Amino acid sequence: MTKTPPSVFAAPLGVLATAAALAVGCAAPPAEDAQPPNIIVIMADDLGYGDISPFDGWIETPNLDRLAAAGMMLTDFHTSGAVCSPTRAGLVTGRYQHRAGVPAVLLANSDSPLYHQGIGAETHTIGEAFRALGYRTAVFGKWHLGYLPQFKPPLHGFDEFRGFVSGNIDYHSHVDRIGRPDWWNGETLEDEDGYLPDLIGAHAARFIDEHREEPFFLYLAHHAPHYPYQGPGDPAERYAGDDQFPGVGSVTDRKRAYREMVESMDDAIGRVLDALEEQGLSGDTLVWFFSDNGATPLGSNGPLRGHKASYWEGGHRVPSIAAMPGRIAAGSTSDEITSTLDVMPTVLAMAGGAAHPDLPFDGIDVGPVLFDGQDVPPRQLFWTSAGQFWRGAAVRDGRYKLVIDRRTQQAAAAEGEDVVDPVPMLFDLEADLGETTDLADDEPERVEEMMAALTNWREDVGISS
């Protein structure tokens, strides 16, 4: 096993960039007799494109700076959904979430039909795929792919699970929004003391230490900066059996709490990078960071229009950083169009795996982007909710993006138009990243082609219109 210097994640950007420039284009897969690469996927929750310092954000995140200095920033990276559960389903299957039975946010209230849904038994998850390749697998943090026993991570390929199944919990007491304890050890409720980002970081460091001699796949699903807004010094507010508490938290300075939550997540990421260095695993491990969707108005999406739950860029274009010293050029940037759907195809290919023969990926292997700075082949990406077009949708095709916005549909209905008929808008993202100038009237043929592609895709993934 090739060991990397302990300072690999801490070296100045210029030094790493110079070293990488000598090697770029020469990265090659590990030798056949070498141990397969380790994979660590880190997902934030509701973190915006303009929140963290590598993306010129307002919160200083030195460990994410450190990761970016050692690897590649992906500036046109997208989630497959604009809210929590759908993106997570797409991530762990490499397929659009509608195929996995999770087209919408799963709700904690047992009276809701969405409480009883979850990731389907017929799916083939990233945990199952890596376990079949002989990897040790774990998920620490937020699952949110089903509340019922059959949906829990141990039944979907993960050897270890320390975390919660709900959409959000108290950062200190680990109680969900209904007043239920929600901290699990495998399939058993087993609470432990600690602030949520700290617990995730501690379990990650422990797992790396325990499995340093064998290949591992580690999925760290952080809760930060999703509400309730609680910094490490704020009190617990939710208690078992009591649902009379403010859902988002009672702190008056939410901006301060939000910042502290992101900083604590960054500290936990630093523990992961430190653990890799201490075990000499940095050069053998891909670390890939991103958010599950864009920020709420409390955070920042930088120059992007819209927020979480919308199909504007601010809803699904998120910060992403991938690092693997010696294979990914240090301090590099790519503006290729990439997606959370690409994560599973890419990391499986690195390990010598492939899609299940009956469940082809919707994402693609973007290893050539990460390791060789190449372009991705032309393709289209799609976003939508189940149900009618008026709920919103989007299509990305190269520099162009078609958007059907719920509020625009509602405004059209208020003017007496038929709300069933979508009102598409068209934007040139290379010239207009903020989606301010609608080109639909100037490009009717392009709009027609993209609308037809959206209709065909909806049929393909099983969305009824």
Side-chain angles (χ1 to χ4, degrees), residues 46 48 50-51 58-59 225 229 255 258 295-302 307:
D46 292 2
D51 276 337
W58 63 285
I59 304 173
Y229 300 113
K255 202 80 171 177
Y258 186 105
T296 67
L298 188 60
S300 171
N301 290 316
H307 298 92

Side-chain angles (χ1 to χ4, degrees), residues 13 125 181 248-249 277 289 355 370 374 379 391 426 459:
L13 176 59
T125 71
V248 299
E277 291 179 354
F289 169 85
L370 299 179
Q374 295 182 14
R379 59 170 171 165
R391 295 182 183 274
L426 182 70
E459 294 175 355

Side-chain angles (χ1 to χ4, degrees), residues 4 8 15 21 28-29 31 63 75 147 171 181-182 206 210 245 265 272 335 353 375 397-398 412 437 441 463:
T4 53
V8 69
V15 173
N63 289 298
T75 61
Y147 294 86
Y171 279 70
D182 191 10
R206 171 191 57 77
E210 291 177 354
F245 46 75
M265 177 184 67
V272 171
D335 61 2
D375 298 340
D397 189 352
T437 304
D441 290 341
I463 299 174

Side-chain angles (χ1 to χ4, degrees), residues 1 30-39 130 133-135 214-216 284-285 324 350-352:
M1 179 183 300
E32 291 186 5
D33 59 347
Q35 179 172 300
N38 305 309
I39 306 295
F130 272 100
L133 292 172
Y135 277 64
E214 56 189 330
F216 58 79
D284 301 306
T285 306
M324 188 174 188
M350 291 176 63

